[in-house]
Amino acid sequence: MVAPGLVLGLVLPLILWADRSAGIGFRFASYINNDMVLQKEPAGAVIWGFGTPGATVTVTLRQGQETIMKKVTSVKAHSDTWMVVLDPMKPGGPFEVMAQQTLEKINFTLRVHDVLFGDVWLCSGQSNMQMTVLQIFNATRELSNTAAYQSVRILSVSPIQAEQELEDLVAVDLQWSKPTSENLGHGYFKYMSAVCWLFGRHLYDTLQYPVGLIASSWGGTPIEAWSSGRSLKACGVPKQGSVPYNSVTGPSKHSVLWNAMIHPLCNMTLKGVVWYQGESNINYNTDLYNCTFPALIEDWRETFHRGSQGQTERFFPFGLVQLSSDLSKKSSDDGFPQIRWHQTADFGYVPNPKMPNTFMAVAMDLCDRDSPFGSIHPRDKQTVAYRLHLGARALAYGEKNLTFEGPLPEKIELLAHKGLLNLTYYQQIQVQKKDNKIFEISCCSDHRCKWLPASMNTVSTQSLTLAIDSCHGTVVALRYAWTTWPCEYKQCPLYHPSSALPAPPFIAFITDQGPGHQSNVAN
């Protein structure tokens, strides 16, 4: 006969071991944490994590003592993951999310608190997206302006590379937090993006409900690092070689940042993305950017839609910042204007047939000669964020009668017998200053063409004429602001009068030389 005390002594360690083993590996995904924002209605937010294969997981949403909903699922054997989609929730909070794993009557519980529902935006790109509030104009004032924005929550992904697509983030620099002067101004190019924060602040001012902002960026990186192998293959991007370009100072290997810093977020339900990148492609696969960028947008959209069980919109809003300016001699004279053009898939504007549901902030007039971070890093991120949020209000939130893009020509009429080109714009135009070099015509004779300045002649509310009498051959094309540094700070020639949005750069080809011929931009 075995003494009862010995049996108890044998059984107790087994019970304790079983209890611990039930909880081994049971956790939320790395970015599900206190203070987070989950996507509000009409989508359902995705809650997921890792657990013990075969276990049941019950996810409960609570507010105070009230249970709002419960969702039950099981841990998949092949991936050790579990996932539930919450019912769509109105904006607001705070809530608690509880996940309980049950295996053979043994429970293990996880909780995150102070969870809000609102709109979640992902911000990505290279160093101009990575710049912090500490680095921008009026930094002290901006850093102190957080008290009214405690419902705008921020998360910063750690800069990590991976050779394969990761399921979850390896690390975060800043877990979901309420904004403070410390975490917004943690250092240079560290933690929270200024463009992302200021964009979210503008959205909150408009929406008056919670906004979640996720910064995932890395300076000096080409688009190839942020693209999946699928999208690069679709554009015929050459296989990886060495990258001896001054513009590429960060990771450049194909897909390594997509794998480690974007793909792990794809189960999340998002409202949209904003993107500021392109400087590292001014000398690297530049001619492919008109494919690689639209392909990235399409691939991210498809992946996030699938990863979130269809909750993230298939064509979610995607905002971009068109490149600003640079005084450096590292780039060719044509690199910046080419990338600006390719950022619109060679249409000159967004949205367009290749880039549906996109919006753009033009930044070529926000140059900064004296930036301590180099002229390629202009400090006026406030205007960038303001222009971006106008596009979001129009495209993502359907606000009507809101001007969110600068004037672009609707019609270009060649009046060769008068030595004039007449441009008719979609919108009203305001001439900030006359510039006789920013418009250029391609003048061809004897099978040779060269670009010549076309001086601004007469201007009306929606049209202007250019003098082309300097061309003694045939005018075949017109371009505007086709240079690395088109104008000084907010001093480009053409703006929309009430919104102060600059006319974007363009190139237009004039194919028929008959009198009074009309041509559209980018045809």
Side-chain angles (χ1 to χ4, degrees):
M1 183 174 176
V2 180
L6 180 59
V7 173
L8 185 62
L10 291 171
V11 171
L12 189 59
L14 287 173
I15 292 172
L16 291 173
W17 182 87
D19 186 59
R20 289 193 190 105
S21 67
I24 289 174
F26 179 51
R27 65 177 179 87
F28 287 119
S30 59
Y31 57 80
I32 295 178
N33 217 302
N34 300 334
D35 298 317
M36 76 180 302
V37 176
L38 293 171
Q39 182 57 43
K40 72 167 190 70
E41 63 181 4
V46 174
I47 302 293
W48 72 282
F50 298 85
T52 307
T56 298
V57 176
T58 303
V59 176
T60 306
L61 182 70
R62 297 171 60 87
Q63 188 167 40
Q65 299 303 309
E66 182 186 0
T67 296
I68 308 299
M69 73 180 80
K70 283 193 177 187
K71 299 288 178 179
V72 181
T73 187
S74 58
V75 180
K76 297 176 187 173
H78 68 282
S79 64
D80 295 350
T81 61
W82 53 269
M83 178 183 290
V84 299
V85 178
L86 300 181
D87 298 336
M89 292 287 294
K90 294 185 182 302
F95 296 88
E96 179 187 71
V97 177
M98 182 175 75
Q100 185 175 70
Q101 177 177 276
T102 304
L103 184 64
E104 297 177 355
K105 299 185 180 179
I106 298 170
N107 297 330
F108 200 82
T109 303
L110 305 170
R111 288 183 174 86
V112 294
H113 59 78
D114 198 12
V115 174
L116 305 179
F117 284 86
D119 282 338
V120 182
W121 286 84
L122 169 62
C123 307
S124 187
Q126 56 181 109
S127 54
N128 270 304
M129 182 61 86
Q130 203 175 17
M131 283 178 73
T132 66
V133 180
L134 191 66
Q135 296 175 266
I136 66 174
F137 286 136
N138 302 312
T140 303
R141 187 184 71 195
E142 299 291 5
L143 287 171
S144 66
N145 188 15
T146 59
Y149 298 101
Q150 294 301 292
S151 293
V152 180
R153 306 291 173 82
I154 57 178
L155 168 74
S156 182
V157 175
S158 296
I160 302 282
Q161 304 177 61
E163 295 293 325
Q164 303 294 330
E165 290 181 346
L166 302 184
E167 197 161 25
D168 195 14
L169 295 172
V170 173
V172 295
D173 274 358
L174 177 69
Q175 193 50 268
W176 281 108
S177 303
K178 297 176 182 179
T180 66
S181 58
E182 289 76 23
N183 57 32
L184 289 174
H186 182 71
Y188 294 165
F189 304 106
K190 288 182 180 179
Y191 277 26
M192 195 57 201
S193 156
V195 168
C196 192
W197 163 248
L198 296 167
F199 170 76
R201 211 171 67 181
H202 279 301
L203 286 185
Y204 181 79
D205 286 340
T206 300
L207 302 170
Q208 292 295 302
Y209 60 69
V211 175
L213 301 171
I214 302 160
S216 185
S217 51
W218 194 326
T221 51
I223 196 171
E224 290 77 7
W226 296 101
S227 303
S228 72
R230 296 177 299 276
S231 59
L232 294 176
K233 185 177 179 182
C235 292
V237 176
K239 287 209 181 329
Q240 189 76 28
S242 60
V243 187
Y245 296 104
N246 292 328
S247 61
V248 180
T249 58
S252 63
K253 196 169 183 182
H254 289 181
S255 308
V256 290
L257 304 184
W258 158 259
N259 291 339
M261 297 177 68
I262 301 299
H263 186 268
L265 301 169
C266 73
N267 292 347
M268 179 185 293
T269 310
L270 289 181
K271 175 64 175 181
V273 168
V274 287
W275 172 259
Y276 195 162
Q277 189 277 334
E279 297 92 342
S280 286
N281 285 97
I282 54 175
N283 296 315
Y284 179 54
N285 289 338
T286 309
D287 292 343
L288 293 175
Y289 203 91
N290 58 358
C291 180
T292 51
F293 184 40
L296 175 144
I297 296 172
E298 167 59 21
D299 188 63
W300 285 26
R301 282 171 165 168
E302 201 277 329
T303 304
F304 275 86
H305 179 70
R306 186 178 67 245
S308 66
Q309 311 299 303
Q311 296 305 305
T312 297
E313 285 182 22
R314 176 63 181 82
F315 295 98
F316 61 72
F318 196 108
L320 65 129
V321 181
Q322 196 176 46
L323 292 193
S324 187
S325 304
D326 183 25
L327 286 172
S328 167
K329 298 302 180 188
K330 292 178 183 177
S331 62
S332 67
D333 288 342
D334 214 32
F336 266 76
Q338 286 285 358
I339 290 292
R340 289 187 194 117
W341 186 243
H342 293 337
Q343 284 179 299
T344 68
D346 299 354
F347 281 82
Y349 58 88
V350 299
N352 61 54
K354 288 186 179 178
M355 296 171 62
N357 210 27
T358 55
F359 55 95
M360 178 172 76
V362 175
M364 67 181 184
D365 66 329
L366 302 180
C367 50
D368 188 354
R369 288 181 178 273
D370 303 317
S371 173
F373 313 104
S375 62
I376 202 167
H377 297 123
R379 288 167 289 174
D380 182 359
K381 295 299 191 270
Q382 290 92 333
T383 304
V384 171
Y386 175 75
R387 291 174 181 176
L388 262 181
H389 109 281
L390 290 177
R393 283 166 58 185
L395 267 294
Y397 297 99
E399 192 170 329
K400 303 299 182 187
N401 304 315
L402 177 70
T403 301
F404 65 97
E405 53 192 354
L408 199 68
E410 179 178 24
K411 184 172 66 175
I412 300 171
E413 192 174 10
L414 176 63
L415 305 172
H417 60 293
K418 293 183 178 179
L420 296 173
L421 265 181
N422 189 63
L423 281 63
T424 304
Y425 281 79
Y426 285 102
Q427 302 166 292
Q428 289 188 352
I429 57 173
Q430 175 178 304
V431 176
Q432 180 100 334
K433 56 178 286 189
K434 282 204 172 183
D435 184 327
N436 291 328
K437 293 183 179 178
I438 201 163
F439 282 101
E440 297 173 290
I441 51 173
S442 179
C443 179
C444 300
S445 60
D446 297 328
H447 305 289
R448 296 183 67 182
C449 301
K450 61 180 178 179
W451 289 100
L452 300 173
S455 60
M456 296 168 64
N457 197 322
T458 58
V459 181
S460 66
T461 55
Q462 234 166 307
S463 67
L464 66 84
T465 58
L466 303 174
I468 57 170
D469 47 12
S470 60
C471 177
H472 300 297
T474 304
V475 176
V476 297
L478 170 69
R479 67 189 188 185
Y480 173 74
W482 205 265
T483 181
T484 303
W485 192 279
C487 61
E488 292 305 314
Y489 180 73
K490 293 190 177 179
Q491 289 296 312
C492 276
L494 297 178
Y495 288 81
H496 181 266
S498 60
S499 68
L501 295 174
F506 72 83
I507 186 167
F509 301 98
I510 300 168
T511 52
D512 178 0
Q513 297 307 311
H517 170 69
Q518 297 176 3
S519 177
N520 292 320
V521 171
N523 279 358

mmCIF file with all atom_site columns, all heavy atoms in Angstrom, residues 449-461:
data_model
loop_
_atom_site.group_PDB
_atom_site.id
_atom_site.type_symbol
_atom_site.label_atom_id
_atom_site.label_alt_id
_atom_site.label_comp_id
_atom_site.label_asym_id
_atom_site.label_entity_id
_atom_site.label_seq_id
_atom_site.pdbx_PDB_ins_code
_atom_site.Cartn_x
_atom_site.Cartn_y
_atom_site.Cartn_z
_atom_site.occupancy
_atom_site.B_iso_or_equiv
_atom_site.pdbx_formal_charge
_atom_site.auth_seq_id
_atom_site.auth_comp_id
_atom_site.auth_asym_id
_atom_site.auth_atom_id
_atom_site.pdbx_PDB_model_num
ATOM 1  N N   . CYS A 1 449 ? 16.576  66.461 -81.134 1.00 0.00 ? 449 CYS A N   1
ATOM 2  C CA  . CYS A 1 449 ? 15.663  67.199 -80.250 1.00 0.00 ? 449 CYS A CA  1
ATOM 3  C C   . CYS A 1 449 ? 16.411  67.710 -79.024 1.00 0.00 ? 449 CYS A C   1
ATOM 4  O O   . CYS A 1 449 ? 17.347  67.073 -78.542 1.00 0.00 ? 449 CYS A O   1
ATOM 5  C CB  . CYS A 1 449 ? 14.513  66.294 -79.779 1.00 0.00 ? 449 CYS A CB  1
ATOM 6  S SG  . CYS A 1 449 ? 13.509  65.612 -81.126 1.00 0.00 ? 449 CYS A SG  1
ATOM 7  N N   . LYS A 1 450 ? 15.984  68.857 -78.544 1.00 0.00 ? 450 LYS A N   1
ATOM 8  C CA  . LYS A 1 450 ? 16.535  69.369 -77.294 1.00 0.00 ? 450 LYS A CA  1
ATOM 9  C C   . LYS A 1 450 ? 15.439  70.128 -76.542 1.00 0.00 ? 450 LYS A C   1
ATOM 10 O O   . LYS A 1 450 ? 14.484  70.633 -77.138 1.00 0.00 ? 450 LYS A O   1
ATOM 11 C CB  . LYS A 1 450 ? 17.743  70.271 -77.544 1.00 0.00 ? 450 LYS A CB  1
ATOM 12 C CG  . LYS A 1 450 ? 17.468  71.512 -78.378 1.00 0.00 ? 450 LYS A CG  1
ATOM 13 C CD  . LYS A 1 450 ? 18.761  72.301 -78.542 1.00 0.00 ? 450 LYS A CD  1
ATOM 14 C CE  . LYS A 1 450 ? 18.523  73.545 -79.419 1.00 0.00 ? 450 LYS A CE  1
ATOM 15 N NZ  . LYS A 1 450 ? 19.762  74.344 -79.565 1.00 0.00 ? 450 LYS A NZ  1
ATOM 16 N N   . TRP A 1 451 ? 15.611  70.183 -75.219 1.00 0.00 ? 451 TRP A N   1
ATOM 17 C CA  . TRP A 1 451 ? 14.648  70.873 -74.382 1.00 0.00 ? 451 TRP A CA  1
ATOM 18 C C   . TRP A 1 451 ? 15.018  72.342 -74.263 1.00 0.00 ? 451 TRP A C   1
ATOM 19 O O   . TRP A 1 451 ? 16.163  72.682 -73.958 1.00 0.00 ? 451 TRP A O   1
ATOM 20 C CB  . TRP A 1 451 ? 14.606  70.238 -72.990 1.00 0.00 ? 451 TRP A CB  1
ATOM 21 C CG  . TRP A 1 451 ? 13.967  68.881 -72.977 1.00 0.00 ? 451 TRP A CG  1
ATOM 22 C CD1 . TRP A 1 451 ? 14.598  67.676 -72.958 1.00 0.00 ? 451 TRP A CD1 1
ATOM 23 C CD2 . TRP A 1 451 ? 12.565  68.596 -73.004 1.00 0.00 ? 451 TRP A CD2 1
ATOM 24 N NE1 . TRP A 1 451 ? 13.675  66.660 -72.969 1.00 0.00 ? 451 TRP A NE1 1
ATOM 25 C CE2 . TRP A 1 451 ? 12.418  67.200 -72.988 1.00 0.00 ? 451 TRP A CE2 1
ATOM 26 C CE3 . TRP A 1 451 ? 11.407  69.389 -73.039 1.00 0.00 ? 451 TRP A CE3 1
ATOM 27 C CZ2 . TRP A 1 451 ? 11.166  66.569 -73.013 1.00 0.00 ? 451 TRP A CZ2 1
ATOM 28 C CZ3 . TRP A 1 451 ? 10.165  68.762 -73.053 1.00 0.00 ? 451 TRP A CZ3 1
ATOM 29 C CH2 . TRP A 1 451 ? 10.046  67.374 -73.045 1.00 0.00 ? 451 TRP A CH2 1
ATOM 30 N N   . LEU A 1 452 ? 14.021  73.191 -74.524 1.00 0.00 ? 452 LEU A N   1
ATOM 31 C CA  . LEU A 1 452 ? 14.216  74.637 -74.456 1.00 0.00 ? 452 LEU A CA  1
ATOM 32 C C   . LEU A 1 452 ? 13.191  75.240 -73.494 1.00 0.00 ? 452 LEU A C   1
ATOM 33 O O   . LEU A 1 452 ? 12.050  74.762 -73.411 1.00 0.00 ? 452 LEU A O   1
ATOM 34 C CB  . LEU A 1 452 ? 14.029  75.277 -75.835 1.00 0.00 ? 452 LEU A CB  1
ATOM 35 C CG  . LEU A 1 452 ? 14.956  74.810 -76.967 1.00 0.00 ? 452 LEU A CG  1
ATOM 36 C CD1 . LEU A 1 452 ? 14.496  75.425 -78.277 1.00 0.00 ? 452 LEU A CD1 1
ATOM 37 C CD2 . LEU A 1 452 ? 16.392  75.194 -76.650 1.00 0.00 ? 452 LEU A CD2 1
ATOM 38 N N   . PRO A 1 453 ? 13.555  76.306 -72.771 1.00 0.00 ? 453 PRO A N   1
ATOM 39 C CA  . PRO A 1 453 ? 12.569  76.960 -71.909 1.00 0.00 ? 453 PRO A CA  1
ATOM 40 C C   . PRO A 1 453 ? 11.451  77.606 -72.718 1.00 0.00 ? 453 PRO A C   1
ATOM 41 O O   . PRO A 1 453 ? 11.694  78.119 -73.819 1.00 0.00 ? 453 PRO A O   1
ATOM 42 C CB  . PRO A 1 453 ? 13.373  78.003 -71.143 1.00 0.00 ? 453 PRO A CB  1
ATOM 43 C CG  . PRO A 1 453 ? 14.742  78.001 -71.706 1.00 0.00 ? 453 PRO A CG  1
ATOM 44 C CD  . PRO A 1 453 ? 14.876  76.909 -72.695 1.00 0.00 ? 453 PRO A CD  1
ATOM 45 N N   . ALA A 1 454 ? 10.250  77.545 -72.179 1.00 0.00 ? 454 ALA A N   1
ATOM 46 C CA  . ALA A 1 454 ? 9.086   78.206 -72.786 1.00 0.00 ? 454 ALA A CA  1
ATOM 47 C C   . ALA A 1 454 ? 8.539   79.192 -71.766 1.00 0.00 ? 454 ALA A C   1
ATOM 48 O O   . ALA A 1 454 ? 8.009   78.789 -70.731 1.00 0.00 ? 454 ALA A O   1
ATOM 49 C CB  . ALA A 1 454 ? 8.027   77.180 -73.171 1.00 0.00 ? 454 ALA A CB  1
ATOM 50 N N   . SER A 1 455 ? 8.703   80.459 -72.026 1.00 0.00 ? 455 SER A N   1
ATOM 51 C CA  . SER A 1 455 ? 8.339   81.470 -71.029 1.00 0.00 ? 455 SER A CA  1
ATOM 52 C C   . SER A 1 455 ? 6.827   81.606 -70.895 1.00 0.00 ? 455 SER A C   1
ATOM 53 O O   . SER A 1 455 ? 6.075   81.451 -71.857 1.00 0.00 ? 455 SER A O   1
ATOM 54 C CB  . SER A 1 455 ? 8.971   82.815 -71.379 1.00 0.00 ? 455 SER A CB  1
ATOM 55 O OG  . SER A 1 455 ? 8.528   83.239 -72.652 1.00 0.00 ? 455 SER A OG  1
ATOM 56 N N   . MET A 1 456 ? 6.391   81.904 -69.681 1.00 0.00 ? 456 MET A N   1
ATOM 57 C CA  . MET A 1 456 ? 4.972   82.092 -69.411 1.00 0.00 ? 456 MET A CA  1
ATOM 58 C C   . MET A 1 456 ? 4.536   83.430 -69.993 1.00 0.00 ? 456 MET A C   1
ATOM 59 O O   . MET A 1 456 ? 5.176   84.453 -69.766 1.00 0.00 ? 456 MET A O   1
ATOM 60 C CB  . MET A 1 456 ? 4.723   82.047 -67.900 1.00 0.00 ? 456 MET A CB  1
ATOM 61 C CG  . MET A 1 456 ? 5.039   80.692 -67.298 1.00 0.00 ? 456 MET A CG  1
ATOM 62 S SD  . MET A 1 456 ? 5.074   80.692 -65.477 1.00 0.00 ? 456 MET A SD  1
ATOM 63 C CE  . MET A 1 456 ? 3.372   81.084 -65.107 1.00 0.00 ? 456 MET A CE  1
ATOM 64 N N   . ASN A 1 457 ? 3.437   83.401 -70.744 1.00 0.00 ? 457 ASN A N   1
ATOM 65 C CA  . ASN A 1 457 ? 2.980   84.596 -71.462 1.00 0.00 ? 457 ASN A CA  1
ATOM 66 C C   . ASN A 1 457 ? 1.763   85.181 -70.751 1.00 0.00 ? 457 ASN A C   1
ATOM 67 O O   . ASN A 1 457 ? 1.875   85.863 -69.768 1.00 0.00 ? 457 ASN A O   1
ATOM 68 C CB  . ASN A 1 457 ? 2.696   84.218 -72.914 1.00 0.00 ? 457 ASN A CB  1
ATOM 69 C CG  . ASN A 1 457 ? 2.618   85.407 -73.839 1.00 0.00 ? 457 ASN A CG  1
ATOM 70 O OD1 . ASN A 1 457 ? 2.091   86.435 -73.454 1.00 0.00 ? 457 ASN A OD1 1
ATOM 71 N ND2 . ASN A 1 457 ? 3.129   85.279 -75.055 1.00 0.00 ? 457 ASN A ND2 1
ATOM 72 N N   . THR A 1 458 ? 0.583   84.858 -71.228 1.00 0.00 ? 458 THR A N   1
ATOM 73 C CA  . THR A 1 458 ? -0.636  85.399 -70.598 1.00 0.00 ? 458 THR A CA  1
ATOM 74 C C   . THR A 1 458 ? -1.278  84.347 -69.698 1.00 0.00 ? 458 THR A C   1
ATOM 75 O O   . THR A 1 458 ? -1.160  83.141 -69.929 1.00 0.00 ? 458 THR A O   1
ATOM 76 C CB  . THR A 1 458 ? -1.657  85.830 -71.665 1.00 0.00 ? 458 THR A CB  1
ATOM 77 O OG1 . THR A 1 458 ? -1.970  84.688 -72.486 1.00 0.00 ? 458 THR A OG1 1
ATOM 78 C CG2 . THR A 1 458 ? -1.081  86.934 -72.527 1.00 0.00 ? 458 THR A CG2 1
ATOM 79 N N   . VAL A 1 459 ? -1.976  84.810 -68.672 1.00 0.00 ? 459 VAL A N   1
ATOM 80 C CA  . VAL A 1 459 ? -2.602  83.915 -67.691 1.00 0.00 ? 459 VAL A CA  1
ATOM 81 C C   . VAL A 1 459 ? -4.029  84.371 -67.434 1.00 0.00 ? 459 VAL A C   1
ATOM 82 O O   . VAL A 1 459 ? -4.296  85.570 -67.317 1.00 0.00 ? 459 VAL A O   1
ATOM 83 C CB  . VAL A 1 459 ? -1.822  83.927 -66.367 1.00 0.00 ? 459 VAL A CB  1
ATOM 84 C CG1 . VAL A 1 459 ? -2.461  82.968 -65.364 1.00 0.00 ? 459 VAL A CG1 1
ATOM 85 C CG2 . VAL A 1 459 ? -0.362  83.571 -66.586 1.00 0.00 ? 459 VAL A CG2 1
ATOM 86 N N   . SER A 1 460 ? -4.950  83.405 -67.341 1.00 0.00 ? 460 SER A N   1
ATOM 87 C CA  . SER A 1 460 ? -6.316  83.703 -66.894 1.00 0.00 ? 460 SER A CA  1
ATOM 88 C C   . SER A 1 460 ? -6.644  82.743 -65.756 1.00 0.00 ? 460 SER A C   1
ATOM 89 O O   . SER A 1 460 ? -5.780  82.013 -65.277 1.00 0.00 ? 460 SER A O   1
ATOM 90 C CB  . SER A 1 460 ? -7.314  83.558 -68.050 1.00 0.00 ? 460 SER A CB  1
ATOM 91 O OG  . SER A 1 460 ? -7.394  82.205 -68.458 1.00 0.00 ? 460 SER A OG  1
ATOM 92 N N   . THR A 1 461 ? -7.901  82.710 -65.335 1.00 0.00 ? 461 THR A N   1
ATOM 93 C CA  . THR A 1 461 ? -8.241  81.922 -64.144 1.00 0.00 ? 461 THR A CA  1
ATOM 94 C C   . THR A 1 461 ? -8.017  80.426 -64.336 1.00 0.00 ? 461 THR A C   1
ATOM 95 O O   . THR A 1 461 ? -7.756  79.710 -63.375 1.00 0.00 ? 461 THR A O   1
ATOM 96 C CB  . THR A 1 461 ? -9.714  82.137 -63.743 1.00 0.00 ? 461 THR A CB  1
ATOM 97 O OG1 . THR A 1 461 ? -10.537 81.852 -64.858 1.00 0.00 ? 461 THR A OG1 1
ATOM 98 C CG2 . THR A 1 461 ? -9.935  83.548 -63.255 1.00 0.00 ? 461 THR A CG2 1
#
